[in-house]
Amino acid sequence: MKKIISIVLAAVMVFCCAVPAFAADAGSGFTPVIRFVAASDTHVKEDDSINAGRISKMMELAYSEADADPVYGKVDALLIAGDLTDRGTKRAFDLFWQAVDGSLREGTQFIGVVAKNHDGYEMSRKDVHGYYSSLTGNSADFHTVINGYHFIGLSASDNDIVHYDAKQLDRLDKQLAEVTAENPDKPVFVIHHEHVRNTVYGSSTFDGWGVPYFKSILDKYPQVVDFSGHSHYPLNDPRSIWQGNFTAIGTGAIYYSEFTVDEMRAYDPPDCRETATCWIVELDKDGNMHLRGYDVNEKTMLCEYYIDNPADKSNREFTPAKQEAKSKAPVFESGAQINTEPVYGGCKVTVPAAKSADGMPVVLYRAYAKNSLGITVEKGRTLPKYYRAVDEETIEINIEGLSAGEYEITVTAENAYGMRSEALETKVTVEGKTGIDALFARIARFFEKAVAFVKALFG
């Protein structure tokens, strides 16, 4: 296998929409010796069968992929990294387990952890752990071996005051020391709910979905591949795979997607609850990893990665610096034009979807309105549906808060690392407030944006 093939995407993935990558090249010689599903945030509710139904869809998808493999036709495990339920009631746990147990074939092992927040809303964490174990037969914390690969899971502690206690962390350190000493050349999987802070997309200090408890331990073990959820940030965003001293992978979520967009922390697009994603993970006898991210509802592949054995610290192609260095700005097709529809105090902007130039998805579009002096007076932005198997031919962006007058409109497309396309440009005449009314409206809008920024920063 080559050093690394960063993101394997078909030629059709030049489009910004989330279309599937092509399947593994049979000529690559990759033969799985283990296959498992990695997911999180199923959020099963008492009064809604949709999320429980997505568990069944996920496993149907996984078994379909396994059945199509003429060499290795098994799904060895289902891994769910916390927030199994939405409110942590016994009824919700019952429905969760009914969905899981009813979806697994013989030979597929369930492994999962229980989270602090959603799984612990209604009962003490000690009671949650006890009820979870009575249903599944599993301990809330676990260390299991599947096909020679070690899986170590940590649930939130059974002390309602302490998130992860010292005993758990000490045990994790000792388990990793023992396992990696026994076989230093093999990946070891660690599972917990929250991301390790400042690793994958959604884990940064600003994003707010990361925790500090594990990094000092995991940094000592390059063999670790760490799976976590909690943020609901999309798994097919390239920032959802991170490598440093260890490897971290964000699981996306079975129930809804979330994002950070500029100063907007925890941005939920209108269709966020229609999303459901998971990984199908395979390893070969040499520890090389094959990852495929799927839209569960559409049973469509969103992304595909090959990572040379992550236990070898020299295999680190997914560091943020390397990923950013290889990224390229999206491009609009030659002849692409902006269409504008003026409305009172603004305009609706429509552009053809941009193309990826690096196999990474286009994650943001920005529109700017400049006055006759060339000064940007208002902006608009929109998130394309790259996090779903939705084919968008055009992108719409609204620009609001414009006074009456003529404006130059420019639109750019952006990838996950902030690389922006060349701008499309046009002019538009807008009806709106004039004179002192326009001045006061602009001042009010400035303070409105300032308040929104402060709330995002400290809220």
Side-chain angles (χ1 to χ4, degrees), residues 206 262-264 448-459:
F206 180 75
D262 297 335
E263 78 284 353
M264 295 179 66
E448 178 184 319
K449 290 181 177 180
V451 169
F453 176 77
V454 171
K455 285 183 177 179
L457 195 60
F458 297 104

Side-chain angles (χ1 to χ4, degrees), residues 295-313:
D295 180 325
V296 169
N297 292 323
E298 299 300 324
K299 297 184 179 178
T300 301
M301 185 161 60
L302 299 173
C303 60
E304 184 173 23
Y305 301 84
Y306 287 96
I307 304 178
D308 273 8
N309 185 354
D312 182 350
K313 197 174 179 179

Side-chain angles (χ1 to χ4, degrees), residues 209-220:
W209 299 114
V211 294
Y213 307 107
F214 306 112
K215 192 171 189 301
S216 62
I217 296 172
L218 302 187
D219 272 342
K220 297 189 288 184

